[in-house]
Amino acid sequence: MNAQRLALPLQDCRFAAIDFESAGIQPGASEAPVQIGIAVMQGLQFQPEDSFRSYLRCDQEITWSAAKVHGITKDDLQSAPTIMSIWPDVRKRLEGAVIVAHGAGTEKRFLRVFPTHSFGPWLDTVSLSRRCYPDAKSHRLGDLIQAMSLEEEMASECPEWKWHDALYDSIASLSLLRYLILQMGWQEKLLSELV
């Protein structure tokens, strides 16, 4: 199946961007996710009906610095599901898709909780933006969205959300990917040439 996907032109791919927000780094503990967001794009068009966003129950306290960034509190997680209980929702959106993330290390690490998954191939929009715009002042997601004048698109796709909401950041990754594909004229380029 991966070989078939790799042979697709980018304009025909199904992309699923994923983002996690975490409880923050604490001494002697591994980082734990507190929110997940998945956004889907097919034929370079957003598929809002396939979006997914959920808080995640976590055994760890959210650090002050993490809460300052994403604004998620212990109260938000009171009735949140565990990451394992949302497996059907995650699988439904990621299976058969090209997985997109901006700096994919965190997302790959948190997805290891599902040891038998075969998600992929992966596209990292940090790597792609560095390749396309090596001289950009910053390759942070928010800075790239602003530099590419994509704020209006973001406002229309998710008017009530903000940065460091996992779904908002997933949509931003897809907006950036679509922008790069269109700007570089990569619509007919095969996925195998980018991964």
Side-chain angles (χ1 to χ4, degrees):
M1 185 64 134
N2 270 349
Q4 289 174 327
R5 266 180 272 161
L6 289 170
L8 284 174
L10 293 174
Q11 65 190 0
D12 296 335
C13 289
R14 181 172 178 270
F15 297 101
I18 185 168
D19 185 73
F20 285 98
E21 297 300 326
S22 83
I25 299 172
Q26 300 178 17
S30 57
E31 207 171 359
V34 294
Q35 188 186 48
I36 183 174
I38 302 172
V40 177
M41 184 170 69
Q42 176 74 49
L44 302 181
Q45 297 301 313
F46 285 107
Q47 305 296 307
E49 65 280 1
D50 291 332
S51 294
F52 178 74
R53 175 181 178 256
S54 178
Y55 290 120
L56 299 169
R57 191 176 323 142
C58 172
D59 314 4
Q60 297 179 20
E61 290 294 319
I62 299 172
T63 65
W64 175 85
S65 57
K68 186 176 178 185
V69 170
H70 53 54
I72 298 169
T73 67
K74 184 178 180 179
D75 291 342
D76 293 323
L77 308 183
Q78 286 291 332
S79 59
T82 64
I83 192 167
M84 291 305 290
S85 68
I86 63 164
W87 166 243
D89 294 306
V90 172
R91 184 180 64 216
K92 177 178 141 183
R93 286 159 178 87
L94 299 186
E95 240 174 20
V98 178
I99 312 302
V100 179
H102 195 76
T106 299
E107 283 65 38
K108 286 180 177 181
R109 188 172 67 248
F110 286 152
L111 284 178
R112 283 188 203 138
V113 74
F114 308 120
T116 59
H117 80 74
S118 58
F119 302 141
W122 285 77
L123 280 179
D124 187 330
T125 51
V126 170
S127 299
L128 284 177
S129 63
R130 285 183 178 146
R131 180 171 150 187
C132 297
Y133 299 100
D135 299 327
K137 288 183 182 179
S138 166
H139 291 93
R140 292 180 56 219
L141 184 56
D143 294 338
L144 289 165
I145 292 295
Q146 186 175 24
M148 311 311 184
S149 300
L150 296 173
E151 297 103 328
E152 190 174 309
E153 178 176 299
M154 292 299 302
S156 70
E157 290 297 328
C158 35
E160 299 173 18
W161 300 330
K162 60 182 177 38
W163 288 111
H164 301 293
D165 172 275
L167 183 55
Y168 186 93
D169 292 357
S170 295
I171 291 169
S173 294
L174 288 182
S175 290
L176 177 59
L177 176 62
R178 179 169 63 186
Y179 178 88
L180 294 174
I181 290 170
L182 295 174
Q183 283 298 115
M184 298 296 151
W186 289 347
Q187 295 92 317
E188 295 184 23
K189 185 183 274 276
L190 300 184
L191 176 62
S192 60
E193 297 177 64
L194 288 192
V195 297

